[in-house]
Structure formats: C-alpha cells, structure tokens
Amino acid sequence: MSTEAEIEKVIEKIMKASYGKLLSALCSRSRDLEACEDALASAFSQALDTWKGGHVPNNPEGWVFHAAKNKLIDQKRKENRKFENRSTLVQLEEEKSFQEEFDFKDHRLRLMFVCSHPSIDESVRTPLMLQTVLGLDSAVIASAFLTSPAAMMKKLVRAKQKIKLAGIAFEVPDINSLSERTEFVTEAIFAAYGKSWDSLGLIDTHLTDLNEEALYLSNLLVELLPNEPEAKGLLAFILFCESRKSARRSNIGEYIPLDEQDVNIWNRAYISQAENLLQDAFSKGRLGRFQLEAAIQSAHCARVKFKMNNWTAILKLYDGLLSIAPTTGAVIGRINALSEVQGLEIGIEALKNLPPEITQNYQPYWALKASLLFKLGRSTEAINAYDIAIGLSQDEAVKNFLRKKMV
Amino acid sequence: MEYVILFYEGKESMAERTHPEKSEVYWGGWMSYMKAVDEAGIGRGGAGLQTPDTATVLSLKNGKKHVQDGPYADTKEQLGGFSIIDVPNLDAAIEWASKSPAFAKGRIEIRPALQTP
C-alpha cells in the first residue's frame, strides 16, 4: 500500500514531467483548451482519491489521460443535450467518433503551432505556449513578460476562447505559413530555457527541469523543420549553454561565473554538436536572432580551444543581435563586451545612458555595474550596486557570490 | 464548421459594379469566385449588398417604430456582401476568403457562425 504522501509525490511527478504531453493529447481532439485544462485538473484530483489506500496503477500517466478523456466525453454529452433539434442518432454518432479519436500521443509541437496562429494576438502567443505546453503558471509567465498576473490571465483566457470558437486547426501548418509561426515557437522554447537557467539554484524543480523540455522540443523542431536555420540556431544555443551546466556550481553549490569556470568540465560532445548545427544554420544564408544568440555562446565556448575570450568578436555579435532583437539581456551583454574591448569607463558610461525604467529592477544591470565600479576602484559606489544586485537575486548561491565580492 | 465571410469594399471598388468599362472585370471576378465555391461544395448561401446609401435603418424609439434613411457609417470600406462557407477549420476559411476579389481591393472579416442551441 502506498501512503498518501507517496501518492502525492507520484502525481506531482506526472504533473511536472507530462503536463504538456497530456494536455496536448487531450486538446488534439477537443480544441477547447480551457475544458481540457479543467478535465486534467480534476483527473489529477480523482487520481489522488482513487489511489489513496490502494496502489498506484502500472501506467499512472495513461490512467490520468483516460480519466481526463472520460470527463471531456461526459461534458460533450451534456453539451449535446442542449442541441435538442438534432436527432439522437446524430448525437450518438458524434459522441462515438469524439471518443474514438482520442489518442495518447505527444502532440506538444502541434499545440505550439496552434498557439502561434496569426489570428491570435501576437503578444500572447509565447505566453500561451509557456502555459499550455510547458505548464508554467500565469504568475511566473507574467513576471517573465513584465506584466501583472491579472492582465496576463485575462489575455490567456481570451486566447483560449479564440482557439475554441474560431476553429483553429490542430495541425502543423503547411510549409507556406510555417516560418512566420516558427518565430513564436522558438521564442517560447527560448523563454522556457531562460527560466530554467535562472532558477538553477532555486527549490522549485519544475522550473529547473524546463531545460530538459526545452532541449527536447528544440530537437523536435529541428527534425520537423530541417531547412529552418533559426530552429538549428536555437538548438545550438541550448546545447552550448547546457555544455557548461556542471561548471556553473562548485561541489558545494557555490556560484561560479563564466570567466572563472573550469573549461575542462564543459561537455565537449554538446559543444561540437552545437558547432555543427550552427555551421549548418549559417550555410542557409538567413541570419536570425537565435543563430546570433548561439554564435555568442559559441564565442564563449571557444575558450576551450584558445584559452581566452575573443571579446571583439563577441561585441560584434551583440551589435548584430541588438539590431534584430533588442532585449534588455542583450543590451547588458553588449555593454559587458564593450567594457572588455574599450575599457571599464566606456562600459560605465554606456550603463548610465540606459533608461532607468528598464534597469531599475534588472539584476544583471546592477551586477555588471557593481563589477565595473569595483574594478575601477570606486568601492563605495560598487558596494551600493552590489547591495541592490543581491536584493534582486533569487538564487542564494548568487547572493553569496555577490556578498563575497563586497568584502 | 460554418464561417461567415464578410466582404468589405472601398467606394471605388463598389462603383466598378456599374462602371461602363470596369463592370465586366468586376462581375467576372465575383462570378468565377462564386463558381469555384459552388464546385467545391462548401457554399451555404450569401448575397451581395447594394451600396450603403440604400440602407434603411429601423429602431425602436420611445416605444415607437422609427424608420429612417441611414445614417450609415461613412467609413472608407463598406460591407459589400457576405458568404457562408462550410470548411474544416479557420485556415481553410482564410484560404477561401483570400481567393475572393475583395482580398485585393478591400478587407475581409471571417467569423465563425453561431450554432443555435
């Protein structure tokens, strides 16, 4: 017999590992995302009640899928009764085909393309994917997109209504509209990977595990779109970053910044796979955001071969990246490279020129500012900046690292 | 799934309907489009509309039937007609709508038809 705590653990594990897979399989048939989410939530609570005091079934994931499927079928039956003018025969026929077409397959990529349909508000496409395919809650998504949870929730609900009522096909689009939609899919995978990267030292393992999902989905995307250089760029970017994962913390969990990492423990196999992908992507002659993001990581990883960073190349790549995708992260990354190439004073000047509304609460800005001031010997100002950077860090290991710098 | 396709046309495009030289091209375009819809077996009706200045607006004011000429919205593009089609999904509806003459000369709105309970 399993204890309630054990069962809760099993359920939690399925929720983390298989949420997107379950949801995408359910809505591949029903199109009603909200109804599928509700059915899945109640299937999970049914699982808790049913398994309590008994045994967890051999295939718990499949059990949850069938429970959720049955809930959707019941609901369909109830809805059908509202349409009194249709014959019972027609209704039964419909219910039967609805039931038969459920199929527990991984439809995550298809769901991502549904979320990126041009008839859905552009600003909600990536958040919608993060919520449905990767199971992030709307508060986490809101913080990543710098908006309030309530506003984000409202947008997400509206988008789901649109998918249901407008009859958006649950298919991978044809080749003509693929590339415009791929942009949003790559962006969602990139955002999910970024979340996991930032939460390495946090307790919430769901966010930390997102790296696996992001790696899996970007691999799938490359398979689906072998001629899309941006898909390869994204996969290369993720592989470059993953190659350094074990070097980001010491044996006792201390934070180690990039320039102090031991290159001998970087994963060479990942790096060479990423290099090949990136070469392949470049050969298509269509440069894009993720190829540049990957190229920047490639330049950092080149330290394995050349024992030093080529900051001039990195600065040029950041200039290119900013001309396509001027994100705050890229702006700070560029200034870091700029200070390496042209000197600390120039770096500080560039930081000063940034509008405060984007830098005020942005941890990497304060961490870079502190480090530049410190190297310039302006210790009072440096300590002040370190203080703010520590306050804005979530990760305890990062906080400790910054605290040590202050001494 | 049934979709209502609303075709909005500019004043110039609407004027082509009776234009001595342009009317043939105008009607030719619509005729062959409607024929293609018919051939595909997806047409569920529709109609072209006379220009907005022929509209009569009916309303209830203070409990009395109120009939008047206009006022119609004087926007750049006006509703010129609609068509109902039955296709599997939104992408198919978009595909069909973009084949219509209004695609090049006006604006098209696609709305899922409301199912009656």
Side-chain angles (χ1 to χ4, degrees), chain A residues 344 348 366-386 402-407:
Chain A
L344 303 165
I348 286 288
W366 290 103
L368 177 61
K369 188 172 181 179
S371 145
L372 296 182
L373 288 167
F374 178 77
K375 285 179 196 161
L376 281 168
R378 288 155 67 175
S379 31
T380 324
E381 289 164 273
I383 285 172
N384 179 46
Y386 273 126
L402 294 170
R403 266 187 216 117
K404 273 188 204 148
K405 290 267 173 188
M406 283 172 74
V407 188

Side-chain angles (χ1 to χ4, degrees), chain A residues 63-208:
Chain A
W63 193 100
V64 170
F65 177 75
H66 282 281
K69 181 187 96 172
N70 288 335
K71 286 181 198 306
L72 285 170
I73 292 167
D74 274 353
Q75 199 192 6
K76 175 91 176 170
R77 220 168 263 152
K78 271 183 211 147
E79 266 171 32
N80 265 351
R81 270 183 218 129
K82 281 192 239 156
F83 292 86
E84 282 165 4
N85 56 359
R86 279 193 287 168
S87 76
T88 323
L89 205 65
V90 170
Q91 280 184 30
L92 283 175
E93 208 38 54
E94 250 189 42
E95 277 163 22
K96 199 169 149 242
S97 79
F98 186 73
Q99 200 160 353
E100 278 167 0
E101 283 172 48
F102 272 103
D103 176 10
F104 189 21
K105 274 197 198 142
D106 191 345
H107 291 305
R108 272 180 286 179
L109 209 53
R110 283 217 228 163
L111 181 54
M112 295 190 100
F113 278 105
V114 170
C115 296
S116 64
H117 196 279
S119 80
I120 293 169
D121 170 15
E122 197 175 315
S123 68
V124 76
R125 289 178 207 162
T126 301
L128 187 60
M129 278 181 244
L130 292 173
Q131 191 192 41
T132 57
V133 181
L134 295 157
L136 294 190
D137 78 45
S138 55
V140 172
I141 301 170
S143 81
F145 286 83
L146 312 173
T147 129
S148 78
M152 183 52 81
M153 186 75 134
K154 213 168 149 189
K155 275 184 159 189
L156 288 167
V157 168
R158 195 180 154 255
K160 286 177 208 163
Q161 287 285 330
K162 179 82 186 258
I163 290 173
K164 176 186 165 191
L165 296 173
I168 292 173
F170 204 89
E171 282 162 11
V172 171
D174 64 36
I175 207 78
N176 297 325
S177 47
L178 254 184
S179 58
E180 58 170 317
R181 283 160 80 171
T182 303
E183 188 192 325
F184 296 95
V185 175
T186 46
E187 200 185 309
I189 298 174
F190 182 78
Y193 187 76
K195 267 280 154 215
S196 103
W197 182 265
D198 292 341
S199 53
L200 184 64
L202 305 184
I203 310 297
D204 185 344
T205 54
H206 179 43
L207 289 179
T208 326

Side-chain angles (χ1 to χ4, degrees), chain A residues 31 83 117 119 165-169, chain B residues 1 3 88-91 112 116-117:
Chain A
R31 255 184 207 164
F83 292 86
H117 196 279
S119 80
L165 296 173
I168 292 173
Chain B
M1 210 172 147
Y3 291 90
N89 55 51
L90 179 61
D91 286 312
T116 44

Side-chain angles (χ1 to χ4, degrees), chain A residues 159-393:
Chain A
K160 286 177 208 163
Q161 287 285 330
K162 179 82 186 258
I163 290 173
K164 176 186 165 191
L165 296 173
I168 292 173
F170 204 89
E171 282 162 11
V172 171
D174 64 36
I175 207 78
N176 297 325
S177 47
L178 254 184
S179 58
E180 58 170 317
R181 283 160 80 171
T182 303
E183 188 192 325
F184 296 95
V185 175
T186 46
E187 200 185 309
I189 298 174
F190 182 78
Y193 187 76
K195 267 280 154 215
S196 103
W197 182 265
D198 292 341
S199 53
L200 184 64
L202 305 184
I203 310 297
D204 185 344
T205 54
H206 179 43
L207 289 179
T208 326
D209 293 344
L210 275 177
N211 66 325
E212 305 270 331
E213 297 255 335
L215 189 57
Y216 171 81
L217 288 170
S218 55
N219 256 308
L220 216 58
L221 197 63
V222 168
E223 264 174 52
L224 179 75
L225 304 165
N227 293 317
E228 176 52 60
E230 280 294 89
K232 287 202 173 103
L234 175 65
L235 179 56
F237 168 81
I238 292 177
L239 285 168
F240 278 128
C241 294
E242 285 291 282
S243 77
R244 303 197 300 261
K245 196 175 177 191
S246 51
R248 293 174 65 202
R249 292 288 187 274
S250 73
N251 324 342
I252 51 164
E254 292 159 312
Y255 170 80
I256 306 176
L258 182 57
D259 53 349
E260 288 168 29
Q261 285 172 16
D262 177 4
V263 300
N264 294 313
I265 52 174
W266 286 358
N267 184 329
R268 303 293 165 95
Y270 274 8
I271 294 177
S272 76
Q273 197 193 341
E275 290 295 354
N276 289 338
L277 280 161
L278 194 55
Q279 284 308 321
D280 221 20
F282 282 158
S283 72
K284 304 270 187 246
R286 275 191 289 136
L287 202 58
R289 174 184 177 189
F290 297 111
Q291 293 168 73
L292 284 165
E293 295 273 12
I296 291 168
Q297 296 309 319
S298 162
H300 283 304
C301 286
R303 224 172 80 209
V304 171
K305 269 189 243 161
F306 306 113
K307 314 284 176 232
M308 58 183 282
N309 273 313
N310 181 351
W311 286 109
T312 316
I314 295 174
L315 179 59
K316 271 198 186 137
L317 289 167
Y318 268 118
D319 284 335
L321 180 60
L322 282 178
S323 70
I324 307 177
T327 59
T328 312
V331 169
I332 302 298
R334 184 190 164 272
I335 295 177
N336 182 33
L338 183 72
S339 71
E340 294 281 351
V341 176
Q342 297 185 10
L344 303 165
E345 297 280 2
I346 303 275
I348 286 288
E349 255 334 280
L351 284 178
K352 251 193 221 155
N353 291 334
L354 297 178
E357 59 272 21
I358 65 162
T359 56
Q360 223 162 27
N361 299 320
Y362 194 63
Q363 193 268 0
Y365 165 84
W366 290 103
L368 177 61
K369 188 172 181 179
S371 145
L372 296 182
L373 288 167
F374 178 77
K375 285 179 196 161
L376 281 168
R378 288 155 67 175
S379 31
T380 324
E381 289 164 273
I383 285 172
N384 179 46
Y386 273 126
D387 242 345
I388 299 173
I390 292 166
L392 291 170
S393 309

Side-chain angles (χ1 to χ4, degrees), chain B residues 8 10 12 20 25 27 30 33 43 55 57 65 69 100-102 112-113 115:
Chain B
Y8 289 86
E12 270 177 43
V25 178
W27 288 110
W30 280 104
Y33 177 64
V57 175
K65 182 164 74 180
D69 172 30
S100 79
Q115 274 188 295

